[in-house]
Amino acid sequence: MSGAGRGQAADPRARGLVELAPEVSAALASGRPVVALESTIVTHGMPHPENLATAREVEQVVRAGGAVPATIAVLDGRIRVGLDDATLERLATAREVMKLSRADLAFAVATGRAGATTVAATMICAALAGIHVFATGGIGGVHRGAETSFDVSADLDELARSPVVVVSAGAKAILDLPKTLEALETRGVPVVGFGTDEFPAFWSRASGLRAPLRLDAPEEVARLVLAREALGLGGGMLVANPLPADQEIPAAELSGPIEAALAEAAVERVGAKDVTPFLLRRVVAATAGRSLAVNRAIIRNNAALAARLAVVLSAARRS
Ligand code: PSU
Ligand code: MN
């Protein structure tokens, strides 16, 4: 375990810039399970008030699974790991919150701007704090048309770099999923279908693509994490966790809304960081909110698995 002291980050250089909530700090100091949670879902991925409700319920799910939740954001010049309810509410209702990745995490710290962490930035902060398991909805990936736009999420490079297990429902069908899997393989990121042979497409269980690896129990995932550590391979991995069949939206029902959203994004010349939030908003509108309800179910489902994994992993490390 990291040996992080009370209120201090695991990496001594980050002291003073990373503030751990007392509960998170105490759990890490005694090797108890902690699950990191991102905040871009809250600020850019969902409308108010569903964003705040989701942020709260996801923390509850982690607690019910026996782990301590640590939602991460940048506020007042510091990386905050573990937010109290008032701070969560502040974030969920704030305007002008930056969407932070590796490129601009330090900018928000240096300027005192409020920032929400994407998968990439959450991985960096979790690793700094000594947290090894992180639950999100879906990771960013290779966008359709990336061969001309070069739009590839920094989440993929971060998965290759920061030693954190990310539990996600695969990646969204708004992306180019075959290219996303290719990019992960090139970067040496293990992609494990959890209880499935197929790589899930976020709202849908089916993508038509095989998950490169498959495991069926949290204990097996923990063994993989420990084997990677023992071999010194570095970097993180992706656990692709599909929704239960009775909760998904079948892929065929989403292709229309997704195509329409992509066409609109092209007409409006949406670019850079705005692409993912724009597409998500358009799909929510085109499905009359159904995709939003399913998005919430996905995050809960991933938080539950992440908690199980964190519990097993912390027990394994202590034995
Ligand atoms: N998937 C979602 N909701 C989101 C995101 C992904 O269901 O809000 C966010 C995550 O924070 C992810 C980011 O890391 O979008 C990827 O953005 P980009 O494509 O700009 O790298
Ligand atoms: Mn991008």
Side-chain angles (χ1 to χ4, degrees):
M1 229 25 250
S2 66
R6 283 189 80 79
Q8 294 175 335
D11 185 330
R13 289 167 305 175
R15 271 182 204 155
L17 298 182
V18 183
E19 183 181 334
L20 276 61
E23 185 190 17
V24 172
S25 176
L28 290 171
S30 56
R32 281 180 286 123
V34 178
V35 172
L37 299 165
E38 64 155 301
S39 47
T40 294
I41 291 178
V42 180
T43 55
H44 295 72
M46 285 187 189
H48 185 77
E50 286 85 357
N51 61 346
L52 180 58
T54 305
R56 286 175 171 152
E57 77 194 5
V58 141
E59 293 210 348
Q60 276 313 313
V61 170
V62 170
R63 286 187 199 284
V68 172
T71 302
I72 294 177
V74 177
L75 292 164
D76 310 315
R78 279 145 74 91
I79 294 170
R80 300 273 302 271
V81 180
L83 304 179
D84 57 33
D85 193 68
T87 309
L88 214 50
E89 190 166 347
R90 172 181 159 196
L91 202 64
T93 52
R95 293 176 193 280
E96 310 275 323
V97 180
M98 293 181 73
K99 173 184 161 188
L100 303 176
S101 191
R102 173 173 281 272
D104 37 26
L105 177 64
F107 178 93
V109 170
T111 60
R113 299 265 309 265
T117 52
T118 58
V119 167
T122 304
M123 290 182 77
I124 295 169
C125 300
L128 279 170
I131 302 171
H132 303 284
V133 181
F134 162 24
T136 183
I139 60 163
V142 180
H143 282 266
R144 299 195 199 181
E147 56 275 26
T148 51
S149 71
F150 279 41
D151 190 353
V152 177
S153 175
D155 291 355
L156 301 183
D157 278 327
E158 207 54 52
L159 277 159
R161 194 159 174 175
S162 284
V164 176
V165 181
V166 179
V167 180
S168 117
K172 278 188 200 67
I174 57 173
L175 300 168
D176 186 321
L177 295 182
K179 289 194 183 75
T180 298
L181 282 177
E182 291 289 353
L184 286 165
E185 195 212 358
T186 302
R187 288 162 175 75
V189 178
V191 176
V192 177
F194 187 79
T196 180
D197 289 319
E198 185 155 3
F199 186 66
F202 196 72
W203 299 289
S204 319
R205 292 173 58 86
S207 65
L209 300 164
R210 274 187 84 80
L213 305 167
R214 173 181 177 149
L215 294 171
D216 294 295
E219 292 76 10
E220 294 173 346
V221 179
R223 273 199 290 279
L224 173 54
V225 172
L226 296 175
R228 283 178 46 77
E229 278 180 18
L231 293 171
L233 292 175
M237 58 187 248
L238 183 64
V239 173
N241 184 32
L243 264 184
D246 61 347
Q247 293 177 35
E248 69 152 356
I249 305 179
E253 290 176 36
L254 280 172
S255 52
I258 288 171
E259 293 298 335
L262 290 163
E264 263 186 275
V267 168
E268 295 192 24
R269 298 181 183 277
V270 179
K273 285 170 177 284
D274 299 331
V275 174
T276 298
F278 178 90
L279 293 174
L280 291 178
R281 276 199 303 277
R282 298 312 305 154
V283 173
V284 169
T287 61
R290 186 168 169 218
S291 70
L292 180 58
V294 175
N295 199 340
R296 282 173 75 165
I298 286 168
I299 300 169
R300 286 196 301 267
N301 193 49
N302 293 343
L305 177 58
R308 287 169 69 197
L309 180 57
V311 166
V312 170
L313 206 48
S314 84
R317 286 188 202 283
R318 281 185 287 177
S319 65

